[in-house]
PDB file of all heavy atoms in Angstrom:
ATOM      1  N   PHE C 302     -15.303   3.392  10.055  1.00  0.00           N
ATOM      2  CA  PHE C 302     -15.679   4.727  10.506  1.00  0.00           C
ATOM      3  C   PHE C 302     -17.019   4.686  11.237  1.00  0.00           C
ATOM      4  O   PHE C 302     -17.185   5.302  12.297  1.00  0.00           O
ATOM      5  CB  PHE C 302     -15.756   5.683   9.316  1.00  0.00           C
ATOM      6  CG  PHE C 302     -16.067   7.101   9.728  1.00  0.00           C
ATOM      7  CD1 PHE C 302     -15.052   7.971  10.061  1.00  0.00           C
ATOM      8  CD2 PHE C 302     -17.377   7.553   9.789  1.00  0.00           C
ATOM      9  CE1 PHE C 302     -15.329   9.271  10.464  1.00  0.00           C
ATOM     10  CE2 PHE C 302     -17.664   8.844  10.191  1.00  0.00           C
ATOM     11  CZ  PHE C 302     -16.643   9.710  10.532  1.00  0.00           C
ATOM     12  N   GLU C 305     -16.557   3.232  14.688  1.00  0.00           N
ATOM     13  CA  GLU C 305     -15.871   4.163  15.582  1.00  0.00           C
ATOM     14  C   GLU C 305     -16.782   5.318  15.986  1.00  0.00           C
ATOM     15  O   GLU C 305     -16.785   5.744  17.151  1.00  0.00           O
ATOM     16  CB  GLU C 305     -14.606   4.698  14.911  1.00  0.00           C
ATOM     17  CG  GLU C 305     -13.445   3.727  14.948  1.00  0.00           C
ATOM     18  CD  GLU C 305     -12.912   3.547  16.356  1.00  0.00           C
ATOM     19  OE1 GLU C 305     -12.124   4.390  16.818  1.00  0.00           O
ATOM     20  OE2 GLU C 305     -13.305   2.558  17.015  1.00  0.00           O
ATOM     21  N   ARG C 308     -19.147   3.956  18.532  1.00  0.00           N
ATOM     22  CA  ARG C 308     -18.462   3.696  19.809  1.00  0.00           C
ATOM     23  C   ARG C 308     -18.216   4.994  20.577  1.00  0.00           C
ATOM     24  O   ARG C 308     -18.490   5.085  21.787  1.00  0.00           O
ATOM     25  CB  ARG C 308     -17.138   2.984  19.546  1.00  0.00           C
ATOM     26  CG  ARG C 308     -16.329   2.680  20.815  1.00  0.00           C
ATOM     27  CD  ARG C 308     -14.997   2.047  20.490  1.00  0.00           C
ATOM     28  NE  ARG C 308     -14.094   2.976  19.805  1.00  0.00           N
ATOM     29  CZ  ARG C 308     -13.359   3.891  20.426  1.00  0.00           C
ATOM     30  NH1 ARG C 308     -13.440   4.026  21.751  1.00  0.00           N
ATOM     31  NH2 ARG C 308     -12.566   4.682  19.754  1.00  0.00           N
ATOM     32  N   LEU C 309     -17.712   6.010  19.895  1.00  0.00           N
ATOM     33  CA  LEU C 309     -17.405   7.273  20.556  1.00  0.00           C
ATOM     34  C   LEU C 309     -18.671   7.967  21.042  1.00  0.00           C
ATOM     35  O   LEU C 309     -18.704   8.550  22.133  1.00  0.00           O
ATOM     36  CB  LEU C 309     -16.633   8.179  19.590  1.00  0.00           C
ATOM     37  CG  LEU C 309     -15.200   7.729  19.265  1.00  0.00           C
ATOM     38  CD1 LEU C 309     -14.670   8.479  18.056  1.00  0.00           C
ATOM     39  CD2 LEU C 309     -14.295   7.929  20.464  1.00  0.00           C
ATOM     40  N   ASP C 350     -15.689  14.765  14.881  1.00  0.00           N
ATOM     41  CA  ASP C 350     -14.481  14.601  15.688  1.00  0.00           C
ATOM     42  C   ASP C 350     -14.463  15.622  16.829  1.00  0.00           C
ATOM     43  O   ASP C 350     -14.164  15.289  17.981  1.00  0.00           O
ATOM     44  CB  ASP C 350     -13.241  14.753  14.802  1.00  0.00           C
ATOM     45  CG  ASP C 350     -11.965  14.356  15.519  1.00  0.00           C
ATOM     46  OD1 ASP C 350     -11.400  15.166  16.268  1.00  0.00           O
ATOM     47  OD2 ASP C 350     -11.527  13.201  15.331  1.00  0.00           O
ATOM     48  N   ALA C 355     -12.907  13.604  20.015  1.00  0.00           N
ATOM     49  CA  ALA C 355     -12.186  12.407  19.584  1.00  0.00           C
ATOM     50  C   ALA C 355     -10.684  12.631  19.423  1.00  0.00           C
ATOM     51  O   ALA C 355      -9.938  11.680  19.178  1.00  0.00           O
ATOM     52  CB  ALA C 355     -12.769  11.895  18.273  1.00  0.00           C
ATOM     53  N   GLY C 356     -10.248  13.877  19.513  1.00  0.00           N
ATOM     54  CA  GLY C 356      -8.819  14.135  19.462  1.00  0.00           C
ATOM     55  C   GLY C 356      -8.159  13.757  18.153  1.00  0.00           C
ATOM     56  O   GLY C 356      -6.974  13.409  18.127  1.00  0.00           O
ATOM     57  N   GLY C 357      -8.912  13.792  17.057  1.00  0.00           N
ATOM     58  CA  GLY C 357      -8.350  13.461  15.746  1.00  0.00           C
ATOM     59  C   GLY C 357      -8.588  12.028  15.317  1.00  0.00           C
ATOM     60  O   GLY C 357      -8.215  11.648  14.209  1.00  0.00           O
ATOM     61  N   ALA C 358      -9.203  11.214  16.193  1.00  0.00           N
ATOM     62  CA  ALA C 358      -9.402   9.798  15.857  1.00  0.00           C
ATOM     63  C   ALA C 358     -10.266   9.625  14.614  1.00  0.00           C
ATOM     64  O   ALA C 358     -10.025   8.735  13.798  1.00  0.00           O
ATOM     65  CB  ALA C 358     -10.032   9.065  17.042  1.00  0.00           C
ATOM     66  N   LEU C 359     -11.286  10.461  14.454  1.00  0.00           N
ATOM     67  CA  LEU C 359     -12.133  10.374  13.269  1.00  0.00           C
ATOM     68  C   LEU C 359     -11.505  11.089  12.075  1.00  0.00           C
ATOM     69  O   LEU C 359     -11.576  10.603  10.940  1.00  0.00           O
ATOM     70  CB  LEU C 359     -13.519  10.958  13.566  1.00  0.00           C
ATOM     71  CG  LEU C 359     -14.348  10.192  14.608  1.00  0.00           C
ATOM     72  CD1 LEU C 359     -15.672  10.908  14.871  1.00  0.00           C
ATOM     73  CD2 LEU C 359     -14.602   8.757  14.166  1.00  0.00           C
ATOM     74  N   ARG C 360     -10.880  12.232  12.313  1.00  0.00           N
ATOM     75  CA  ARG C 360     -10.219  12.952  11.215  1.00  0.00           C
ATOM     76  C   ARG C 360      -9.137  12.089  10.571  1.00  0.00           C
ATOM     77  O   ARG C 360      -8.916  12.161   9.366  1.00  0.00           O
ATOM     78  CB  ARG C 360      -9.593  14.249  11.728  1.00  0.00           C
ATOM     79  CG  ARG C 360     -10.583  15.350  12.015  1.00  0.00           C
ATOM     80  CD  ARG C 360      -9.896  16.703  12.101  1.00  0.00           C
ATOM     81  NE  ARG C 360      -8.866  16.719  13.130  1.00  0.00           N
ATOM     82  CZ  ARG C 360      -9.075  17.048  14.396  1.00  0.00           C
ATOM     83  NH1 ARG C 360     -10.294  17.380  14.791  1.00  0.00           N
ATOM     84  NH2 ARG C 360      -8.089  17.066  15.268  1.00  0.00           N
ATOM     85  N   ARG C 361      -8.476  11.274  11.377  1.00  0.00           N
ATOM     86  CA  ARG C 361      -7.405  10.426  10.852  1.00  0.00           C
ATOM     87  C   ARG C 361      -7.939   9.388   9.863  1.00  0.00           C
ATOM     88  O   ARG C 361      -7.197   8.878   9.025  1.00  0.00           O
ATOM     89  CB  ARG C 361      -6.682   9.741  12.010  1.00  0.00           C
ATOM     90  CG  ARG C 361      -5.390   9.044  11.621  1.00  0.00           C
ATOM     91  CD  ARG C 361      -4.622   8.537  12.828  1.00  0.00           C
ATOM     92  NE  ARG C 361      -4.056   9.641  13.577  1.00  0.00           N
ATOM     93  CZ  ARG C 361      -4.474  10.051  14.768  1.00  0.00           C
ATOM     94  NH1 ARG C 361      -5.496   9.451  15.344  1.00  0.00           N
ATOM     95  NH2 ARG C 361      -3.901  11.060  15.393  1.00  0.00           N
ATOM     96  N   LEU C 362      -9.217   9.063   9.952  1.00  0.00           N
ATOM     97  CA  LEU C 362      -9.811   8.079   9.043  1.00  0.00           C
ATOM     98  C   LEU C 362     -10.247   8.687   7.718  1.00  0.00           C
ATOM     99  O   LEU C 362     -10.562   7.950   6.778  1.00  0.00           O
ATOM    100  CB  LEU C 362     -11.012   7.401   9.718  1.00  0.00           C
ATOM    101  CG  LEU C 362     -10.703   6.587  10.982  1.00  0.00           C
ATOM    102  CD1 LEU C 362     -11.984   5.988  11.538  1.00  0.00           C
ATOM    103  CD2 LEU C 362      -9.686   5.509  10.694  1.00  0.00           C
ATOM    104  N   TRP C 363     -10.275  10.015   7.619  1.00  0.00           N
ATOM    105  CA  TRP C 363     -10.761  10.643   6.402  1.00  0.00           C
ATOM    106  C   TRP C 363      -9.963  10.233   5.164  1.00  0.00           C
ATOM    107  O   TRP C 363     -10.568   9.909   4.126  1.00  0.00           O
ATOM    108  CB  TRP C 363     -10.784  12.168   6.546  1.00  0.00           C
ATOM    109  CG  TRP C 363     -11.015  12.836   5.232  1.00  0.00           C
ATOM    110  CD1 TRP C 363     -10.126  13.559   4.494  1.00  0.00           C
ATOM    111  CD2 TRP C 363     -12.214  12.783   4.454  1.00  0.00           C
ATOM    112  NE1 TRP C 363     -10.689  13.973   3.310  1.00  0.00           N
ATOM    113  CE2 TRP C 363     -11.973  13.499   3.261  1.00  0.00           C
ATOM    114  CE3 TRP C 363     -13.468  12.184   4.641  1.00  0.00           C
ATOM    115  CZ2 TRP C 363     -12.938  13.649   2.273  1.00  0.00           C
ATOM    116  CZ3 TRP C 363     -14.430  12.328   3.656  1.00  0.00           C
ATOM    117  CH2 TRP C 363     -14.164  13.055   2.490  1.00  0.00           C
ATOM    118  N   ALA C 691      -5.630   2.513  21.455  1.00  0.00           N
ATOM    119  CA  ALA C 691      -6.314   3.547  20.679  1.00  0.00           C
ATOM    120  C   ALA C 691      -5.868   4.935  21.120  1.00  0.00           C
ATOM    121  O   ALA C 691      -5.623   5.823  20.302  1.00  0.00           O
ATOM    122  CB  ALA C 691      -7.825   3.397  20.812  1.00  0.00           C
ATOM    123  N   HIS C 695      -3.806   7.906  19.012  1.00  0.00           N
ATOM    124  CA  HIS C 695      -4.282   9.284  18.917  1.00  0.00           C
ATOM    125  C   HIS C 695      -3.198  10.272  19.322  1.00  0.00           C
ATOM    126  O   HIS C 695      -3.093  11.361  18.742  1.00  0.00           O
ATOM    127  CB  HIS C 695      -5.509   9.485  19.803  1.00  0.00           C
ATOM    128  CG  HIS C 695      -6.653   8.603  19.434  1.00  0.00           C
ATOM    129  ND1 HIS C 695      -7.712   8.349  20.289  1.00  0.00           N
ATOM    130  CD2 HIS C 695      -6.913   7.900  18.314  1.00  0.00           C
ATOM    131  CE1 HIS C 695      -8.563   7.523  19.694  1.00  0.00           C
ATOM    132  NE2 HIS C 695      -8.098   7.241  18.495  1.00  0.00           N
TER     133      HIS C 695
END
Side-chain angles (χ1 to χ4, degrees):
F302 183 88
E305 281 291 278
R308 179 183 68 82
L309 290 166
D350 190 278
L359 295 177
R360 285 197 302 270
R361 191 173 289 109
L362 297 180
W363 169 251
H695 300 162

